[in-house]
Amino acid sequence: MKVLGHKAFARLILSYLVSQAGSKVHRVALLVLVYLLTEKALWVSLVLGVQLVGTVVFSPLLSAWADTQDRKRLLVWSDLLRAPLVALIPLLGAKSLPILLLLVFLIELLRDLHDPIQNAVVPDLVPKEEVDEANSLVLLADRLSEVLFVGAAG
């Protein structure tokens, strides 16, 4: 794990794991919350549909725009902006399902902005000969967070 000797990359992996912990738990908790509020699978499907539309329609546009911006700033701000939006879900979203769908859509847009940038910045943080190892570690962190954090949320 020579690649973790690069401080900037090690910080990226650590922040990625923290971000993924929140995102994975949020994903499960959101669907459970919607079902508990409505007791209707239709609303759960609407939440998933809003997430899908955000990703399919806007992700390519956001990725292209992000390539013209300061990557570090976008990485930090996309995570920092998601936190208050998630906090608004029980405060506002639980009282109004249309507001909940809007919050979910905005959170998904920020995730669609964050994830491609995080992958694109890896070659900037490590030497060329360590990029494969770094990408493998990012993928491992992603898969590990999927198992651990989604499992814990369930």
Side-chain angles (χ1 to χ4, degrees), residues 75-87 106-107 110 113:
L75 280 174
V76 170
W77 280 106
S78 61
D79 268 346
L80 289 178
L81 290 173
R82 275 190 291 180
L85 290 175
V86 170
L106 294 173
I107 291 165
L110 289 169
L113 179 64

Side-chain angles (χ1 to χ4, degrees), residues 89-130:
I89 288 174
L91 299 174
L92 300 176
K95 295 179 174 83
S96 168
L97 291 173
I99 290 175
L100 176 68
L101 292 177
L102 176 65
L103 290 170
V104 168
F105 181 73
L106 294 173
I107 291 165
E108 191 65 19
L109 289 182
L110 289 169
R111 189 193 63 76
D112 290 336
L113 179 64
H114 180 274
D115 291 353
I117 297 169
Q118 188 227 300
N119 292 331
V121 78
V122 169
D124 297 338
L125 301 178
V126 298
K128 185 177 180 178
E129 60 273 3
E130 295 178 23

Side-chain angles (χ1 to χ4, degrees), residues 28 149-154:
V28 173
F149 302 126
V150 171

Side-chain angles (χ1 to χ4, degrees), residues 137-152:
L137 193 56
V138 169
L139 187 60
L140 175 66
D142 183 54
R143 298 298 183 255
L144 196 62
S145 68
E146 190 76 30
V147 171
L148 293 178
F149 302 126
V150 171

